């Protein structure tokens, strides 16, 4: 056992806690390189068992992973579903994780392991991963938009997420789009872009056009094979998302827009529609901002989960010249 600072690189345990699975890996940090994932493992979240059972599973999972490493691990960086409170507990969560709201995630891991712990939201973690080592590694500002069942987002500036005053910044799915006027959003309001541009939006639109039900990935496949209704559903969703990206770019002026999430699997047809919708709304000065898919895939959230802690420990740097806010906001040490 040593202090984790020898020439083999410094170690952090990174966890990605989602509604369906808990993934964990020890990351090895060597200066100037993307951290190396050592023994990525995962298990089902079993969210239906309730928040306390999930929390207990995460603690046991973490202790087991730490027990397998014969060198000192410097801390635990977590990316978790839900809105994260400033003390590292879960402020609120969707119905996908019943009872998850209020769980003392960070404090419980700190108490169980004695390690320094940081907690960040899952979309924020995803964005940090892509910003540091993925599509955004060469730019200083980046808007990440994750399009799956719902739509999430995060603005990264100088290597730090723009968390906002309440840790809720980046909820790009909950801005208005005229085509969504009479459609109820997952937040309970009407007129937000999420229910028309998300995976569920594609499914809803396809049903309306064809009278048939199909899952989003199947609709994407049918669209690629030339099905008119499937193509229309994918195009309308992509266009609506692009409109929203254009309007947000007008506000934020990111150097790059990075797209991730399962809907990206709809491919070029969807991506072209997103770019066209973007051009319809963006002001001329910002028409050249690249809109690109993420490059890290499923590794983005687990790599990003470690970023706030790695910054706190001095293992990686943010660009202090442009940072408006320093991570981590909820390190417990
Ligand atoms: Zn909404």
């Amino acid at each position: 056992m040593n202090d984790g600072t020898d020439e083999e690189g410094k170690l952090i345990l990174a966890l990605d806690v989602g509604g369906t699975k808990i993934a964990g890996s020890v990351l090895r940090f060597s200066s100037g390189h993307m951290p190396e994932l050592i023994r990525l493992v995962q298990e089902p979240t079993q969210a239906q068992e309730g928040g306390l059972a999930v929390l207990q599973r995460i603690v046991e999972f973490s202790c087991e992973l730490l027990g397998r490493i014969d060198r000192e691990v410097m801390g635990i960086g977590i990316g978790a579903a839900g809105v994260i409170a400033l003390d590292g507990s879960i402020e609120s969560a969707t119905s996908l994780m019943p009872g998850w709201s209020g769980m003392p995630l960070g404090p419980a891991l700190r108490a169980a392991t004695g390690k320094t712990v940081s907690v960040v939201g899952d979309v924020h973690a995803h964005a940090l991963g892509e910003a540091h080592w993925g599509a955004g590694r060469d730019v200083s500002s980046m808007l990440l938009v994750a399009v799956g069942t719902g739509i999430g987002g995060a603005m990264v500036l100088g290597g730090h997420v723009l968390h906002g005053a309440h840790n809720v910044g980046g909820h790009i799915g909950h801005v208005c789009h005229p085509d969504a006027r009479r459609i109820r959003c997952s937040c309970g309001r009407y007129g937000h872009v999420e229910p028309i541009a998300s995976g569920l939006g594609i499914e809803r639109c396809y049903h309306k056009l064809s009278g048939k039900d199909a899952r989003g990935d199947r609709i994407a496949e049918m669209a690629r094979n030339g099905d008119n209704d499937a193509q229309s559903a994918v195009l309308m969703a992509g266009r609506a998302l692009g409109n929203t990206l254009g309007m947000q770019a007008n506000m934020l002026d990111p150097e790059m827009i990075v797209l991730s999430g399962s809907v990206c699997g709809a491919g070029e047809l969807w991506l072209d529609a997103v770019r066209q919708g973007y051009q319809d709304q963006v002001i001329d000065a910002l028409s050249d901002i690249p809109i690109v898919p993420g490059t890290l895939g499923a590794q983005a959230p687990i790599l990003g989960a470690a970023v706030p802690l790695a910054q706190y420990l001095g293992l990686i740097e943010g660009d202090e010249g442009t940072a408006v806010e320093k991570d981590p906001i909820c390190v417990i040490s």
Side-chain angles (χ1 to χ4, degrees):
M1 193 77 78
N2 61 37
D3 66 356
T5 59
D6 65 19
E7 69 284 358
E8 292 177 39
K10 300 167 188 178
L11 306 182
I12 284 180
L13 174 61
L15 300 177
D16 173 28
V17 178
T20 55
K21 67 171 171 42
I22 302 163
S25 178
V26 172
L27 303 185
R28 188 191 342 249
F29 284 79
S30 319
S31 89
H33 299 287
M34 185 167 108
E36 179 191 354
L37 277 78
I38 307 170
R39 295 180 204 150
L40 175 67
V41 290
Q42 62 182 56
E43 64 177 54
T45 307
Q46 299 183 45
Q48 74 285 353
E49 290 182 4
L52 212 51
V54 171
L55 181 62
Q56 200 170 354
R57 188 167 296 114
I58 293 166
V59 169
E60 286 167 8
F61 181 77
S62 305
C63 290
E64 194 189 326
L65 280 174
L66 289 171
R68 289 188 207 164
I69 301 292
D70 60 2
R71 291 178 52 212
E72 180 71 14
V73 174
M74 297 180 78
I76 305 174
I78 311 165
V83 172
I84 311 301
L86 296 178
D87 69 350
S89 61
I90 305 300
E91 175 85 35
S92 62
T94 70
S95 55
L96 290 174
M97 293 187 73
W100 185 232
S101 178
M103 285 299 117
L105 176 60
L109 273 168
R110 164 71 182 158
T113 65
K115 302 285 184 190
T116 301
V117 172
S118 73
V119 191
V120 67
D122 52 358
V123 179
H124 288 176
H126 200 124
L128 285 168
E130 288 289 350
H132 282 264
W133 299 293
R137 64 189 176 279
D138 295 324
V139 299
S140 63
S141 64
M142 181 195 101
L143 175 65
L144 175 122
V145 180
V147 192
T149 308
I151 296 178
M155 180 74 186
V156 183
L157 195 54
H160 299 267
V161 165
L162 191 63
H163 291 285
H166 308 90
N167 228 0
V168 184
H171 274 75
I172 193 171
H174 305 284
V175 301
C176 280
H177 192 285
D179 295 352
R181 249 192 333 266
R182 293 184 185 81
I183 300 176
R184 193 163 194 262
C185 182
S186 64
C187 70
R189 287 152 189 84
Y190 287 82
H192 290 176
V193 71
E194 180 177 279
I196 62 168
S198 62
L200 288 178
I202 292 176
E203 292 173 13
R204 177 187 286 113
C205 185
Y206 177 74
H207 178 83
K208 199 172 160 190
L209 293 170
S210 70
K212 296 180 230 161
D213 288 319
R215 282 171 45 101
D217 50 357
R218 173 77 186 120
I219 297 169
E221 188 187 336
M222 288 189 286
R224 282 194 295 275
N225 292 332
D227 180 287
N228 281 339
D229 291 336
Q231 285 187 345
S232 296
V234 168
L235 287 173
M236 280 194 261
R239 192 100 175 199
L241 180 73
N243 293 156
T244 299
L245 296 181
M247 290 185 267
Q248 296 304 308
N250 293 343
M251 171 75 189
L252 297 166
D253 185 11
E255 201 172 336
M256 174 182 278
I257 296 173
V258 178
L259 301 174
S260 70
S262 59
V263 172
C264 287
E268 285 301 314
L269 180 74
W270 175 77
L271 192 56
D272 287 347
V274 172
R275 288 173 174 147
Q276 187 57 53
Y278 176 82
Q279 293 300 333
D280 290 344
Q281 292 298 331
V282 78
I283 57 176
D284 293 348
L286 303 176
S287 62
D288 291 335
I289 292 176
I291 301 175
V292 300
T295 60
L296 295 176
Q299 289 192 355
I302 202 148
L303 287 166
V307 165
L309 183 60
Q311 287 171 329
Y312 176 78
L313 296 171
L315 304 184
I316 57 171
E317 293 176 0
D319 174 0
E320 302 303 334
T322 54
V324 292
E325 181 184 7
K326 290 185 178 54
D327 290 314
I329 50 164
C330 44
V331 159
I332 309 151
S333 63

